[in-house]
Amino acid sequence: MVTGAAVVGAGIWFAVAGGGGSPAPPPSASPSPTHSPTPPPPSPTPVVNPLTGQGPGGHVLAVKIDNVGDAQFQQSGLNSADLVYVIQVEGGLSRYLVVFDSSHAPARVGPVRSARQTDIPLLAPYGRVGFAYSGSISGLKPDLAAANLQLINPIQHSNLFSNGGSAPTYIRPGQIFSTFPNLAQTKDVGFRFGPEPAGGAGASSVRAKMPAAAFTFTASGAKWLVSVDGHAVSTIDAGQANADNVIIQHVHVVPGKYTDHNAGHADNEVFSQTTGQGGADFYRDGKVWHGQWSKPNDNAPTSYTVGGKPMNLAPGRTWIVLEG
């Protein structure tokens, strides 16, 4: 005979009378404890090279490369560069300041030539990177020594240069990165990458001039093939030099602080002012956009804009011509 019932939580239990005994106690209503699994840590965000917008970045080395006469046919490493700056020097000629990172540096770079006043503020935003060059005029040496750069030249490190530094001389980036493991790593110096902005006009070629040098960049698919003084820049290690982006950065070219007397006569150095602001033309994907560049001080990143908005470059290598 059922003599009583009780409700516990959402379950029902019954007690049956018999022999005057007490009803059996209900089973525990407490659920077994449960524990939420610890979520796995988030995957690290891949570090994308801020100089190219693709692949990982590494430690940074800048190299001054000759671009006059026979040197134009002896160049190595240009197609492994992150960035190539084209700089006017004395006599209206040109030199390259080429930036590499250790994640994909080439076996050999050169021919290496001398430093210029323009190099110092141009490299300032990169931090304490390596700067390989063959020498400099005497007046510039104190400025180089005071700069936040790891100086790499044959006087101090002849073992790092082929021929002991005698021209033509080359360096091996792998050897330099091993010798100087604490060089600054890639950092944001102002470049932005992404889909092309609206408003670009079709462009099949780019021309830029210096008083004694002429450059042409010809569209070939998404690339720009590089020619200098009417002939293709054919590197000895990787075919014709090419770029994914070309920036013509309009700057003031003014008399430099020092005069070069090394050739037995006075050569007036020139200085390209990359701190300040001015116009810029941006070429990518067979199109051109006209905009501005701005750099408020030597150590600041350079801002590249079109219509007041950042100019997106195509991921890859960029050539920047400092045209006066």
Side-chain angles (χ1 to χ4, degrees), residues 59-152:
H59 298 280
V60 178
L61 170 67
V63 185
K64 202 62 179 289
I65 295 183
D66 198 358
N67 188 41
V68 176
D70 289 344
Q72 294 179 341
F73 307 98
Q74 301 170 338
Q75 291 161 343
S76 179
L78 293 178
N79 278 345
S80 295
D82 289 20
L83 300 160
V84 179
Y85 292 96
V86 183
I87 299 170
Q88 183 178 327
V89 296
E90 66 279 356
L93 298 169
S94 67
R95 292 283 191 275
Y96 298 148
L97 179 63
V98 186
V99 178
F100 302 90
D101 79 75
S102 57
S103 68
H104 58 256
R108 188 171 75 148
V109 172
V112 183
R113 283 302 300 266
S114 52
R116 296 294 193 279
Q117 181 185 347
T118 299
D119 303 329
I120 298 174
L122 197 58
L123 289 175
Y126 289 82
R128 192 172 179 78
V129 301
F131 180 32
Y133 61 100
S134 63
S136 72
I137 60 176
S138 58
L140 187 60
K141 291 179 180 178
D143 290 356
L144 287 166
N148 184 30
L149 295 168
Q150 173 60 62
L151 304 181
I152 304 166

Side-chain angles (χ1 to χ4, degrees), residues 117-125 249-252 254 271-278 293-304 322:
Q117 181 185 347
T118 299
D119 303 329
I120 298 174
L122 197 58
L123 289 175
Q249 184 170 335
H250 302 286
V251 301
H252 294 294
V254 300
F271 174 56
S272 296
Q273 296 178 330
T274 55
T275 298
Q277 59 186 358
W293 67 270
S294 176
K295 184 184 177 191
N297 60 69
D298 286 355
N299 294 311
T302 301
S303 172
Y304 294 103
L322 303 179

Side-chain angles (χ1 to χ4, degrees), residues 193-290:
F193 301 90
E196 66 178 51
S204 59
S205 65
V206 187
R207 290 181 174 83
K209 293 192 68 176
M210 295 177 180
F215 298 85
T216 302
F217 302 86
T218 304
S220 177
K223 298 284 188 180
W224 299 90
L225 303 180
V226 186
S227 297
V228 178
D229 298 333
H231 59 78
V233 177
S234 184
T235 65
I236 61 177
D237 62 333
Q240 186 168 359
N242 62 74
D244 298 282
N245 309 282
V246 178
I247 300 175
I248 309 300
Q249 184 170 335
H250 302 286
V251 301
H252 294 294
V253 180
V254 300
K257 291 168 61 177
Y258 309 107
T259 300
D260 185 1
H261 297 276
N262 291 337
H265 61 277
D267 255 341
N268 293 323
E269 295 271 309
V270 295
F271 174 56
S272 296
Q273 296 178 330
T274 55
T275 298
Q277 59 186 358
D281 307 309
F282 306 99
Y283 294 82
R284 62 168 289 183
D285 301 321
K287 297 180 182 179
V288 60
W289 291 258
H290 304 290

